Amino acid sequence: MRSAETPLIRSLPLFRDMAEANFDTLMRGAYLQTFPPQIELITEGDPSDFLHVVIDGSVELFAGWNGRETVMATVRPISTFILAATIRNAPYLMSARTLEKSRIVLLPSVDVQAVFDVDAAFARAVVTELAQCYRGLVKHTKDLKLRTSVERLANYLLRKYTAAGAPAALDLVIEKRRLASYLGMTPENLSRAIKSLQAYGVTIEGSTVRISDPADLIGLAKPTPRIDDAAH
Amino acid sequence: MRSAETPLIRSLPLFRDMAEANFDTLMRGAYLQTFPPQIELITEGDPSDFLHVVIDGSVELFAGWNGRETVMATVRPISTFILAATIRNAPYLMSARTLEKSRIVLLPSVDVQAVFDVDAAFARAVVTELAQCYRGLVKHTKDLKLRTSVERLANYLLRKYTAAGAPAALDLVIEKRRLASYLGMTPENLSRAIKSLQAYGVTIEGSTVRISDPADLIGLAKPTPRIDDAAH
DNA sequence: CTATTGACTTGATAATAATCAAACCAGAGC
DNA sequence: GCTCTGGTTTGATTATTATCAAGTCAATAG
């Protein structure tokens, strides 16, 4: 690949510290592709041929079993996904689809593995990234196991609200049915959960969220850094 | 630390390939300690001072929120826990307690980080280990989100049954209330789930599990490698 | 402008799981 | 042996969540 996106990728924590020569190796084998919305990029169970980097657009990671399906995460620029499968050279555990028109860089897993084996800085960066992903998933699991659906929604809204700097109006970016799936509930249940948060000063009209009394909502949500902090 | 356990630790995938000098550095700063049962080794939120290696006994990783508590994992010899917190130098997301009398090696996080920075082989081993942990957690999350409690129990039993080589009688090792918590349900609910599996040839008396018709149970459980395989 | 589509909502009902309370039971200590 | 303790089970009830069905609504294609 030879394109304007190369410096963008290079600036990611994952690629920032590696040797120039190794980065070049990765880029030489890379493909930059543009996908339309609703395209299934990878399917769980398939061998992990590529490490993916979302440059533009958004990608949903999801998993299915026995006719059911659940959203595991939404990936937005600029970040990678299915790093763990690539590193372990194991089949994907999740599927991925584009939510909108997206530009994605595909790095052949063999190249990633080869560079991983020779470039210590890259290996260390991979560790940091993976540890972050792992901790994110620990938080998600705690959220699911320790909270009811209304509590999960309340905390989700507070996280977005805080991240956006406590704005008067907040956009819900994600479709409600996908949010419901991510939070581990049905769309109907989410609809009712939203209603029940009205008592705490939350109104959601279309995709616009308003939180009139954050303190009140916090009283219900009881957020904790060990579940709700983005960093850590 | 200077003890008989050193070669045991050295043989772990995590430490196998690192330079002898760096391994010695780690061991020099290490403590081997014996803990009685029910001792809280670490508390979530605390800074990650040590990487722990369970040599003997067993340790439960758990997390709490708002008066509730859930079992996240059980760690048995020989393996490490809270690697991610150590690497990221971030507070623990989970607490840990001994389940029985246990011998545990404590490796100061500063040493682990220092060696991680200079020993590429160790860094790569950490990646492999972390990727494995991450994928294990993805599977656990899929299990929780895609299955009912009876389905989770059925698959849990099949995993243990298969791992043990399909024995006539299988020991349930873990206390039922802890299993219930791990599987995301109450003890009462687990008790009823066990009963409902009798229709599929499962009997559990005390801690002894018998599966008279695995095929029948598989028909209910519908295990998939993407959730239920230990490897991958 | 109308028809269609798909997301979202609402209501009714059913399934699932949690809670509360009371036994039951096995092991540890006396 | 007994008693105590804590895990487990059972039953009754409630809470939570899912399912099914019918509607609303907004965007869009024709």
Side-chain angles (χ1 to χ4, degrees):
Chain A
M1 197 182 78
R2 190 118 292 283
S3 80
E5 279 71 20
T6 302
L8 205 63
I9 296 171
R10 181 63 155 150
S11 71
L12 292 176
L14 192 57
F15 303 105
R16 190 179 296 151
D17 299 326
M18 66 195 303
E20 188 71 32
N22 294 327
F23 181 72
D24 289 345
T25 300
L26 281 184
M27 288 306 113
R28 261 194 301 276
Y31 308 88
L32 174 63
Q33 279 197 268
T34 303
F35 296 94
Q38 305 301 330
I39 290 293
E40 189 158 324
L41 299 169
I42 64 176
T43 303
E44 58 172 309
D46 284 357
S48 55
D49 296 327
F50 297 97
L51 175 64
H52 296 237
V53 187
V54 182
I55 299 298
D56 213 79
S58 55
V59 171
E60 177 177 84
L61 302 183
F62 64 101
W65 177 77
N66 195 27
R68 299 165 212 168
E69 193 179 297
T70 189
V71 173
M72 299 290 287
T74 307
V75 185
R76 299 187 189 284
I78 321 281
S79 47
T80 64
F81 60 91
I82 46 126
L83 183 55
T86 299
I87 291 301
R88 287 200 71 90
N89 194 30
Y92 299 130
L93 294 180
M94 298 183 275
S95 304
R97 68 165 74 92
T98 54
L99 292 176
E100 49 192 315
K101 191 181 171 197
S102 302
R103 282 192 307 156
I104 292 167
V105 171
L106 306 174
L107 302 170
S109 292
V110 286
D111 294 346
V112 175
Q113 283 159 19
V115 172
F116 172 77
D117 283 338
V118 299
D119 194 305
F122 179 59
R124 278 190 280 273
V126 169
V127 169
T128 306
E129 178 99 351
L130 263 182
Q132 169 122 316
C133 291
Y134 174 77
R135 288 169 64 86
L137 200 48
V138 169
K139 289 172 191 163
H140 189 210
T141 307
K142 288 170 67 175
D143 195 43
L144 287 168
K145 291 184 83 175
L146 291 167
R147 289 170 171 165
T148 66
S149 58
V150 173
E151 288 165 345
R152 291 199 294 276
L153 174 62
N155 279 292
Y156 178 88
L157 293 176
L158 277 174
R159 288 196 297 269
K160 297 299 172 188
Y161 177 77
T162 306
L170 178 69
D171 188 56
L172 203 65
V173 184
I174 188 175
E175 274 177 277
K176 282 178 187 167
R177 66 197 184 96
R178 296 181 196 280
L179 175 58
S181 179
Y182 173 71
L183 293 176
M185 59 180 110
T186 58
E188 296 95 325
N189 195 17
L190 174 62
S191 196
R192 286 165 185 132
I194 289 171
K195 231 182 189 175
S196 74
L197 286 187
Q198 283 178 3
Y200 297 85
V202 177
T203 48
I204 304 186
E205 284 175 357
S207 69
T208 304
V209 182
R210 276 168 229 277
I211 300 179
S212 66
D213 185 354
D216 198 12
L217 187 58
I218 287 171
L220 171 72
K222 298 181 182 65
T224 162
R226 269 104 65 198
I227 301 181
D228 304 293
D229 265 22
H232 277 191
Chain B
M1 197 183 78
R2 190 120 292 281
S3 82
E5 280 72 20
T6 303
L8 204 64
I9 297 171
R10 182 63 154 149
S11 72
L12 292 176
L14 192 56
F15 303 106
R16 190 180 295 152
D17 299 326
M18 66 194 304
E20 188 69 33
N22 294 326
F23 182 71
D24 290 345
T25 301
L26 280 184
M27 287 306 113
R28 262 195 299 278
Y31 308 88
L32 173 64
Q33 279 197 270
T34 302
F35 296 95
Q38 305 301 331
I39 290 294
E40 188 157 324
L41 299 169
I42 63 176
T43 303
E44 59 171 309
D46 285 357
S48 55
D49 297 326
F50 297 97
L51 174 63
H52 296 237
V53 187
V54 183
I55 299 297
D56 212 80
S58 55
V59 172
E60 177 177 84
L61 302 183
F62 64 100
W65 177 79
N66 194 28
R68 298 166 213 170
E69 190 179 301
T70 190
V71 173
M72 298 291 286
T74 306
V75 185
R76 299 186 188 284
I78 320 279
S79 48
T80 65
F81 61 90
I82 45 123
L83 183 55
T86 299
I87 292 300
R88 286 201 73 91
N89 194 29
Y92 299 129
L93 294 180
M94 299 183 274
S95 304
R97 69 166 72 93
T98 54
L99 292 176
E100 48 191 316
K101 191 181 170 195
S102 302
R103 283 192 307 156
I104 292 167
V105 171
L106 306 174
L107 301 171
S109 292
V110 285
D111 295 346
V112 175
Q113 282 159 19
V115 172
F116 173 76
D117 283 337
V118 298
D119 194 305
F122 180 58
R124 278 189 281 273
V126 170
V127 169
T128 306
E129 178 100 349
L130 264 182
Q132 169 121 318
C133 291
Y134 175 76
R135 288 169 63 86
L137 201 49
V138 168
K139 289 172 192 165
H140 190 208
T141 308
K142 288 170 66 175
D143 194 43
L144 286 168
K145 292 183 82 175
L146 292 167
R147 290 171 171 164
T148 65
S149 58
V150 174
E151 289 165 344
R152 292 199 293 277
L153 173 62
N155 280 290
Y156 177 88
L157 292 176
L158 277 173
R159 288 197 297 268
K160 298 298 172 187
Y161 177 77
T162 307
L170 178 68
D171 189 57
L172 204 64
V173 184
I174 189 176
E175 272 177 277
K176 282 177 187 168
R177 68 197 183 95
R178 297 182 195 282
L179 175 59
S181 179
Y182 174 71
L183 293 176
M185 58 180 110
T186 59
E188 297 96 323
N189 196 17
L190 173 62
S191 197
R192 285 165 186 133
I194 289 172
K195 233 181 187 174
S196 74
L197 287 186
Q198 282 178 3
Y200 297 86
V202 177
T203 48
I204 304 186
E205 285 174 356
S207 70
T208 305
V209 183
R210 276 168 228 278
I211 300 180
S212 66
D213 186 354
D216 198 13
L217 187 58
I218 287 171
L220 171 73
K222 296 182 183 64
T224 159
R226 269 103 68 197
I227 301 181
D228 304 292
D229 265 21
H232 275 191

